[in-house]
Amino acid sequence: MTPLADGAWHRLHPATPLLRGGIALIAIIGIIVTNLRERLVQWFFPAIACPPRAPECQGDPVDLIVSNGYALIALAIVLALLLVLVALFYVSWRAHTFRVTGEVVEVRSGVLFRTHRKARLDRIQGVTIVRPMFARLLGAARLEVEVAGNDANVQLAYLGTAASDLLRADILRLASGSRAAAGESPAAAGSLLDRRVSELLAPELDPLLAAPESVVRMHPGRLIGSTLLSGTTVVFLVVAIAVSIGLVLSISVSRDFLVLLFTFVPIVLGLGSYLVRRVTRFLRYTIARTPDGVRIGYGLLTTRNDTLPPGRIHSVAVSQNLLWRPAGWWTVRVNRASRGGPSAGQSAQQNTIVLPVGSRADVLRVLELLLPELMGAAPNSAGGVDLRTLLNNGLVGRGGHDEFTGSPRRAVVLRWFSWRRNGFALFPGAVLLRKGAIWRELAIVPTPRMQSVAIEQGPIERALRLAAVHVHTVAGPISPRLGALDARDAEAFFRDAELAAVTAGGSEGTHRWRSGEN
């Protein structure tokens, strides 16, 4: 066990004040330097500087301070302010402490207003290490302990790069219930420069933690192509074409060319920044199984490394838009208890993506990592069907003669294009919901993670003898809901799914996933 997990209070990385508040101070200094650029030119390049007596140089606040003999006083005030800021940063760093015990991870912070946060180890949903580019240069990283609940995560910003990796291993070991002794901490070798270079070039996934055949890697060309063919890019292009037509018409019809030009440029810049952010975010992507769950790493400049312990995936959705269909690309998202719903913000929504883009074979490999108990289960005794067959039919099946219970023909009134594909299947340990003909989606909900099941029927559905089913899980981007089902099929799904959820809940054993280790 590392010294940071001994139950005593510890302080963060010494560079934490600079990384948390010093960046803002540097920005303020930059603004001051920008506003005093004429004075800096006069100091360093007097031959091309503006003459002090020139009318355009009059009224310079620096000239007024120097000419009135207040230069020393002004320097003293500036130095005093800097000392006060440094002192505040130091006091804030001293007051920001944390400790890791056998039950909780605690963080205390604040000088005037104190904050004390606790993360219970039995409610941990994952441990994440984020390394922003500037922090990587200083050998620091941010460790975030994700727990179930709204805004319940605990951050340790910042720790040393090696210390954050070792502390993550200790937190996961304590949360898993393992009684095995922790390994010794490796001693740092080489000079400071060698260690920084090694940390910058090191892979996000330790090769010793996962077998090479379990790793799914991302090809940069596929990532760029999928980004260009995404729905967001298409919307941007449609708007850009409309604005371009307006620009052409404005040249011959009106004089509002500049107005439309200033509208077009931000659209192009917005599209370019979106494409660059998405590509750089998921470069160096890897996903693999480790002893403490699934490890997902990605990022080019700012890197992120998530560890999802077993049993923390509440639902999985595999989707494919129409533009990706010729290439056979899919994306995989998950619902986790530590993530909010649509109001949680763009960053939280992006963190639910476990496979940005991949082939059908990549999807199956990722599902083997996320749902190992299901993928290794025996075939369904009712029909002798294994989960791989169900998944393949759920991804590319068109309905009709397969293992999914589909919608009747009268559902075409509500599902014009997808009524054939619309359907559900029950497998020991999971519920599968298939929908969408243009935007294909297959939702997989492990029965131990189901919170409740609902059956819904509006006036139009009642007249058509149809109904909808809704499997409730934690909030997130996935809403496992299927409509336009035959009312009798929906009632049968309600009964069978309810029974499966109650049965699976009583045999759940992933709470302490390594409790049997000595």
Side-chain angles (χ1 to χ4, degrees):
M1 180 181 294
T2 61
L4 295 179
D6 58 1
W9 291 98
H10 300 275
R11 292 188 174 87
L12 301 173
H13 193 280
T16 297
L18 177 63
L19 296 171
R20 292 176 64 92
I23 303 299
L25 178 61
I26 294 175
I28 294 173
I29 294 175
I31 295 174
I32 295 175
V33 170
T34 301
N35 286 275
L36 296 179
R37 58 185 179 274
E38 292 85 1
R39 173 61 55 184
L40 295 175
V41 170
Q42 180 181 350
W43 287 344
F44 294 100
F45 304 99
I48 62 174
C50 180
R53 299 297 182 182
E56 60 271 19
C57 295
Q58 298 299 317
D60 189 348
V62 177
D63 282 333
L64 293 176
I65 292 175
V66 174
S67 60
N68 289 280
Y70 297 136
L72 293 178
I73 298 177
L75 290 176
I77 293 175
V78 172
L79 181 61
L81 289 176
L82 290 176
L83 292 176
V84 170
L85 288 176
V86 171
L88 289 177
F89 286 149
Y90 176 75
V91 173
S92 175
W93 173 74
R94 294 276 301 181
H96 199 150
T97 57
F98 72 94
R99 71 173 177 179
V100 179
T101 67
E103 298 179 354
V104 296
V105 178
E106 298 181 72
V107 177
R108 299 185 304 192
S109 61
V111 179
L112 298 179
F113 300 94
R114 298 286 291 168
T115 301
H116 192 171
R117 298 177 68 92
K118 294 183 179 181
R120 287 171 44 186
L121 295 181
D122 59 350
R123 294 180 63 84
I124 282 182
Q125 303 297 308
V127 181
T128 300
I129 294 179
V130 182
R131 298 180 175 93
M133 185 60 192
F134 188 62
R136 293 170 66 192
L137 296 176
L138 298 177
R142 182 174 74 245
L143 187 144
E144 183 173 357
V145 181
E146 302 172 0
V147 295
N150 185 25
D151 192 25
N153 297 352
V154 171
Q155 284 192 4
L156 302 180
Y158 288 81
L159 299 171
T161 301
S164 62
D165 290 327
L166 295 173
L167 185 58
R168 171 175 58 185
D170 283 338
I171 292 175
L172 291 172
R173 183 184 58 81
L174 293 171
S176 69
S178 173
R179 295 184 297 273
E184 295 294 331
S185 305
S191 64
L192 178 62
L193 179 60
D194 292 337
R195 293 199 300 271
R196 293 292 89 80
V197 173
S198 176
E199 292 168 357
L200 286 173
L201 300 180
E204 283 301 295
L205 179 65
D206 189 348
L208 299 178
L209 291 179
E213 61 271 12
S214 70
V215 179
V216 178
R217 300 189 182 275
M218 180 67 58
H219 191 279
R222 178 185 294 175
L223 182 59
I224 295 173
S226 65
T227 303
L228 294 176
L229 295 177
S230 65
T232 304
T233 305
V234 172
V235 172
F236 268 115
L237 290 178
V238 170
V239 175
I241 292 173
V243 174
S244 300
I245 295 175
L247 287 174
V248 174
L249 295 177
S250 67
I251 296 176
S252 57
V253 177
S254 67
R255 297 298 181 184
D256 295 333
F257 175 77
L258 292 178
V259 176
L260 290 174
L261 181 62
F262 287 132
T263 304
F264 180 73
V265 171
I267 293 176
V268 175
L269 294 178
L271 174 60
S273 62
Y274 162 76
L275 296 177
V276 172
R277 283 199 308 269
R278 176 175 171 82
V279 172
T280 57
R281 173 182 174 82
F282 290 111
L283 282 176
R284 300 178 65 198
Y285 166 91
T286 57
I287 178 172
R289 183 184 296 116
T290 68
D292 289 306
V294 180
R295 182 74 55 84
I296 307 172
Y298 49 84
L300 179 62
L301 301 178
T302 295
T303 64
R304 185 182 181 95
N305 198 304
D306 298 332
T307 301
L308 310 181
R312 270 59 177 180
I313 303 299
H314 290 254
S315 57
V316 182
V318 185
S319 58
Q320 180 191 64
N321 65 43
L322 184 62
L323 298 177
W324 286 10
R325 194 166 302 172
W329 293 338
W330 301 82
T331 184
V332 179
R333 292 176 176 268
V334 297
N335 275 2
R336 299 164 53 190
S338 59
R339 301 296 179 190
S343 62
Q346 182 181 7
S347 177
Q349 292 297 306
Q350 287 179 339
N351 292 336
T352 61
I353 302 175
V354 296
L355 180 65
V357 58
S359 63
R360 201 192 319 174
D362 292 334
V363 170
L364 294 178
R365 293 177 66 187
V366 169
L367 292 179
E368 287 180 352
L369 299 176
L370 298 177
L371 307 170
E373 298 86 0
L374 293 178
M375 299 299 290
N380 192 337
S381 58
V385 179
D386 62 5
L387 185 57
R388 285 182 174 274
T389 302
L390 280 178
L391 291 175
N392 280 309
N393 291 333
L395 294 176
V396 298
R398 297 182 179 180
H401 303 288
D402 58 19
E403 300 77 13
F404 283 77
T405 302
S407 299
R409 187 174 183 82
R410 61 182 180 274
V412 70
V413 178
L414 302 179
R415 299 289 187 273
W416 296 354
F417 305 106
S418 63
W419 69 272
R420 291 182 183 274
R421 177 174 161 80
N422 208 56
F424 68 87
L426 297 175
F427 187 84
V431 172
L432 289 80
L433 306 178
R434 181 182 67 185
K435 58 184 178 181
I438 298 176
W439 187 290
R440 292 175 174 175
E441 180 177 310
L442 174 66
I444 308 167
V445 182
T447 49
R449 306 276 83 80
M450 292 171 54
Q451 297 183 349
S452 63
V453 184
I455 183 170
E456 303 165 355
Q457 189 180 54
I460 298 178
E461 293 171 316
R462 189 177 302 112
L464 295 172
R465 302 190 310 280
L466 301 175
V469 294
H470 193 176
V471 180
H472 297 124
T473 66
V474 298
I478 305 171
S479 180
R481 187 181 186 277
L482 191 64
L485 295 173
D486 185 89
R488 289 173 296 182
D489 292 337
E491 292 174 357
F493 174 87
F494 180 85
R495 293 191 301 268
D496 295 341
E498 180 187 24
L499 178 61
V502 173
T503 304
S507 59
E508 170 64 9
T510 59
H511 177 64
R512 296 283 189 177
W513 63 92
R514 295 173 63 181
S515 58
E517 297 183 8
N518 294 320

